[in-house]
Amino acid sequence: MVISRLKKIKKRKAQELADWRYGLLCKLKKSKRRASSKCKSYMTRGEDSVSLRATGGEEGASVPANSAVMKGLIPPREPDNVVLASKATTKGPIPSRKSYRVAKFDPATGKQLKARAPTQSYTTYFAGALIAEAEANKDIVAIHAAMRSRTGLNLFSVVSPTCCFDVGIAEQHAVTFAAVLASEVLIFSLATTFFSGALDCQVVHDVDLQRLPVRFAMDRASLVGADGPTHYGSFDVTFMACLPNMVVMASADEAELFHIVSTAASINDRPCVSCIRESCLATATLVEARGLRLTVADARFCKPLDHALIWGLAKSHEVLITVEEGSIAGFGSHVAQFMALDGLLDGNLKWRPLVLPDQYIEHGSPADQLAEAGLTPAHIAATVFNILGQTQEALEVIS
């Protein structure tokens, strides 16, 4: 449904997009000429002048092509000669053991062998939800840090090309840019993967302290499979939910994601964070097949925490388990803080928080990573049986 709508919109917007790109290209060319002129003037100023030569545009991944180009660039052995060489490269085309986004691949060609997903990705659904909001509100602006396609904003930019900004690999700038714009337009900021670099000065000082309504959409708020530990979003809830003015919410499925985006768009007096997570319905199936009744509660909000929901669950159940694909001090810690202060831990309630282990989990499939973290449905079910003293059932379900 989302893709078919985009195809219709793309035809209607094609000429408008082409005109906008042409205008932007003209501006960039002027900026490039001005920057080059200023650079040369600075480098040739005074007695310590230098000779500046520049080249670029060649394919950066081709060793033979670059060797030939570089040989032609070797200047005379004079200390005042400077050569600036830029190369065009594509991110991660040839996998290696330590490279970004390692999946199964053919060693001879480097082609990655990826399994076809049975449904569209959460990112695509997020893009559809954001497009729907943008069609109703022309003031919506989206910002990302060199992650257009990976955040779904390539789809959004088809509909609103002048309202989608790529700030390059500069997450700090993305957040401050969003803070400045937030007083006039409705901001969705997609600075996700390396978001921690923008936390202190940008998120705390420029956004949260001033209660600016910047909407942060964390499309990778947990383990991310082949991308590896550099791209985890497993700390997002932890370090965002501790900020006084921040609203932190998460969707359990695609339908709820649309509601989360709509809710974020309606919050105008403070910043908010939207994350993606999985549900525990598979765990319920395993437990109930062995004769136990299990309640699966969709918390939705880490902050503000749903006190009535937590209080009701604690009073009506013998065991309470919080599950999250996040680090310690996240959602489970907020639940524990509330229950401790409200006296809910003073009785017979057995409470356990299940979080990611205190270590970085390496590249692998999502299933393998969850198994290593001890957060598969079988692991969660085994925790339930162990708490109740049913060790035999725990062993059976985990095997």
Side-chain angles (χ1 to χ4, degrees):
M1 179 185 70
V2 173
I3 300 300
S4 62
R5 286 185 62 207
L6 286 173
K7 287 181 179 178
K8 293 179 181 179
I9 295 172
K10 187 174 183 179
K11 289 182 179 180
R12 191 176 75 242
K13 294 281 186 176
Q15 187 58 49
E16 179 184 337
L17 179 61
D19 294 342
W20 177 79
R21 285 178 172 172
Y22 177 76
L24 178 62
L25 182 62
C26 292
K27 292 180 180 178
L28 289 175
K29 286 182 177 179
K30 291 180 180 178
S31 298
K32 183 178 179 181
R33 286 195 295 267
R34 287 197 299 267
S36 177
S37 176
K38 288 183 178 180
C39 183
K40 288 182 179 180
S41 68
Y42 283 128
M43 298 186 74
T44 57
R45 185 177 296 171
E47 297 180 358
D48 298 326
S49 61
V50 297
S51 173
L52 176 65
R53 299 163 59 197
T55 184
E58 296 83 7
E59 174 54 54
S62 172
V63 175
N66 277 282
S67 297
V69 171
M70 296 307 291
K71 287 178 181 178
L73 288 177
I74 296 176
R77 294 185 178 277
E78 298 177 7
D80 294 336
N81 276 293
V82 175
V83 177
L84 301 179
S86 61
K87 303 296 175 183
T89 60
T90 301
K91 188 175 183 180
I94 303 175
S96 65
R97 186 177 180 185
K98 291 294 184 181
S99 71
Y100 154 82
R101 197 165 178 79
V102 178
K104 291 183 179 179
F105 64 93
D106 183 347
T109 64
K111 182 179 180 180
Q112 298 193 40
L113 310 175
K114 300 179 181 177
R116 184 177 295 274
T119 61
Q120 297 179 30
S121 67
Y122 264 89
T123 300
T124 302
Y125 285 107
F126 168 79
L130 188 58
I131 288 169
E133 293 297 325
E135 289 176 341
N137 187 342
K138 300 302 180 183
D139 287 336
I140 287 182
V141 170
I143 302 169
H144 66 97
M147 296 284 281
R148 185 185 299 267
S149 62
R150 303 302 299 278
T151 57
L153 291 188
N154 57 325
L155 305 178
F156 176 82
S157 64
V158 172
V159 182
S160 302
T162 59
C163 295
C164 184
F165 294 93
D166 181 354
V167 300
I169 307 177
E171 284 76 8
Q172 293 92 335
H173 173 55
V175 175
T176 302
F177 181 36
V180 172
L181 294 180
S183 60
E184 298 294 335
V185 296
L186 198 155
I187 296 293
F188 274 85
S189 180
L190 276 293
T192 54
T193 300
F194 304 108
F195 188 72
S196 57
L199 176 61
D200 188 17
C201 289
Q202 280 69 37
V203 176
V204 177
H205 299 172
D206 295 346
V207 177
D208 191 70
L209 184 62
Q210 302 182 64
R211 295 180 68 100
L212 292 174
V214 177
R215 291 85 174 171
F216 297 103
M218 305 297 200
D219 67 324
R220 300 177 180 205
S222 59
L223 301 174
V224 290
D227 283 351
T230 59
H231 288 64
Y232 289 169
S234 50
F235 310 110
D236 295 344
V237 171
T238 297
F239 62 55
M240 296 296 272
C242 68
L243 301 179
N245 297 320
M246 196 70 66
V247 174
V248 181
M249 50 190 171
S251 59
D253 55 35
E254 296 85 348
E256 197 169 272
L257 177 61
F258 274 74
H259 294 296
I260 290 279
V261 172
S262 179
T263 300
S266 67
I267 298 175
N268 293 311
D269 63 341
R270 66 190 66 196
C272 63
V273 181
S274 305
C275 303
I276 294 174
R277 56 179 169 79
E278 302 295 332
S279 70
C280 295
L281 295 178
T283 300
T285 302
L286 288 174
V287 171
E288 291 177 351
R290 287 166 172 78
L292 285 180
R293 292 183 59 190
L294 189 73
T295 300
V296 178
D298 183 3
R300 289 192 184 90
F301 286 84
C302 176
K303 189 176 183 181
L305 195 65
D306 190 338
H307 291 174
L309 173 65
I310 302 301
W311 192 91
L313 292 172
K315 285 294 186 179
S316 59
H317 291 75
E318 181 183 351
V319 175
L320 182 62
I321 299 175
T322 59
V323 182
E324 57 187 309
E325 279 185 50
S327 66
I328 190 172
F331 172 71
S333 295
H334 285 259
V335 172
Q337 175 79 1
F338 164 69
M339 292 196 301
L341 293 177
D342 208 55
L344 294 173
L345 299 179
D346 297 344
N348 297 320
L349 178 67
K350 299 178 178 66
W351 173 71
R352 300 290 187 277
L354 295 184
V355 300
L356 292 176
D358 191 22
Q359 67 185 60
Y360 292 105
I361 296 177
E362 294 299 327
H363 304 269
S365 69
D368 290 339
Q369 290 182 326
L370 284 178
E372 184 177 345
L375 291 178
T376 65
H379 283 94
I380 300 170
T383 300
V384 174
F385 288 119
N386 276 324
I387 294 173
L388 297 175
Q390 301 178 19
T391 55
Q392 182 61 37
E393 287 81 357
L395 290 173
E396 289 175 358
V397 76
I398 202 67
S399 60

